[in-house]
Amino acid sequence: MARFDISGAVGRQTGLERRMTTDAIRREIQPQPATRVQKAFTAAPQPQPTQVTGYERPEPMKTQPSIDDLPLPMQTVNWEARKDKQGNPIVYQLPAGDMGGKFEIAGINDRYHPEAFKAISALPAEERAEAAAEYIRSYTAPLVSQLPKPMQAFAQDMAFNRGLGGAARYIQQGLRDLGQNVAVDGKLGPKTLAAINNVQPRALMQAASQAQLNDEYSMARKNPARKALLRRLENRIRNRFSTLGQI
């Protein structure tokens, strides 16, 4: 069998209306719950870190963190964007069957993020990358702001890539695979949040990556047209964990 190895709230104004974020969340795709496939997501050997006795639960948050406290997802923009010769994101015509609409800029498409797409694509080219990153941070904040800091950048990219509910389900499935008794319902309730604090962040990010990979293969079996996307999706999952899952 093939093995999949890898290495290794509102704050600052974005120039985009809050309603764009609400509109995008309402439109997000909710993928089906992940099922296991015969393909393993395993980490390559890493240098041994200093041994710790466990991941201690952080103090309960007294107030919702400001969006400015969340990471700026410029890495997501770099992964998603097609760029001009100067390195600025361009409007890209999506191929037939992409299911994300007709056009996108830095992964922000005209089907699920129509107002943000329109606003960002109208900006001068040199302003688009930061505006896209700010929009992604705002869109993903409802999920990301609830997670421990070591997981935030990783979950931010996963939530933009597969929607807030999709990312929550992958995290929950990862928790179940790590022995935690939580429902896979796409909602980060008190039980899920408590379970997150009972496991090592890196182990959970790896398990959530496996859950997404399983789901991608499950969807491809149901819809053969998606098989052509699998290599790109595998690379995206691998790059996310390798870049953002090392803590």
Side-chain angles (χ1 to χ4, degrees), residues 20-21 23-25 27-28 100 107-119 135 139 160:
M20 289 192 298
T21 300
D23 184 59
I25 293 173
R27 288 177 170 84
E28 73 174 18
I108 299 168
N109 60 55
D110 60 353
R111 180 178 181 183
Y112 297 106
H113 311 270
E115 294 186 44
F117 168 80
K118 182 178 180 180
Y135 175 73
Y139 168 68
F160 181 67

Side-chain angles (χ1 to χ4, degrees), residues 56 172 200 204-205 207 217:
E56 294 185 2
Q172 289 170 325
Q200 289 285 348
L204 178 53
M205 288 185 279
Y217 271 82

Side-chain angles (χ1 to χ4, degrees), residues 14-179:
T14 66
L16 301 176
E17 298 291 339
R18 173 65 57 178
R19 60 192 173 87
M20 289 192 298
T21 300
T22 303
D23 184 59
I25 293 173
R26 179 169 52 82
R27 288 177 170 84
E28 73 174 18
I29 302 175
Q30 298 289 335
Q32 295 300 313
T35 57
R36 294 186 180 277
V37 299
Q38 295 177 343
K39 197 170 183 75
F41 184 96
T42 58
Q46 299 289 320
Q48 291 298 316
T50 302
Q51 187 171 2
V52 295
T53 57
Y55 179 69
E56 294 185 2
R57 184 177 302 181
E59 291 295 324
M61 294 183 297
K62 295 182 174 59
T63 59
Q64 187 77 359
S66 165
I67 193 173
D68 281 334
D69 295 331
L70 301 180
L72 184 70
M74 196 60 73
Q75 181 63 73
T76 297
V77 173
N78 289 335
W79 280 331
E80 292 279 358
R82 275 76 172 181
K83 298 180 180 180
D84 61 22
K85 292 181 179 179
Q86 289 71 44
N88 300 312
I90 63 172
V91 175
Y92 173 73
Q93 184 171 357
L94 293 166
D98 184 89
M99 297 179 287
K102 295 182 179 180
F103 298 94
E104 71 169 29
I105 184 165
I108 299 168
N109 60 55
D110 60 353
R111 180 178 181 183
Y112 297 106
H113 311 270
E115 294 186 44
F117 168 80
K118 182 178 180 180
I120 294 171
S121 60
L123 291 173
E126 65 273 13
E127 297 179 15
R128 292 172 178 171
E130 186 170 357
E134 289 285 8
Y135 175 73
I136 293 169
R137 176 158 61 180
S138 178
Y139 168 68
T140 59
L143 180 141
V144 177
S145 63
Q146 299 182 72
L147 299 176
K149 281 191 178 296
M151 289 189 61
Q152 287 182 350
F154 172 92
Q156 191 176 65
D157 182 75
M158 178 177 275
F160 181 67
N161 183 229
R162 280 295 175 257
L164 305 186
R169 279 194 290 273
Y170 297 148
I171 289 170
Q172 289 170 325
Q173 184 60 53
L175 287 167
R176 288 184 64 86
D177 292 341
L178 293 173

Side-chain angles (χ1 to χ4, degrees), residues 203-221:
L204 178 53
M205 288 185 279
Q206 184 176 343
S209 297
Q210 179 70 61
Q212 182 183 354
L213 182 63
N214 290 351
D215 191 41
E216 302 294 357
Y217 271 82
S218 175
M219 288 189 288
R221 288 197 302 273

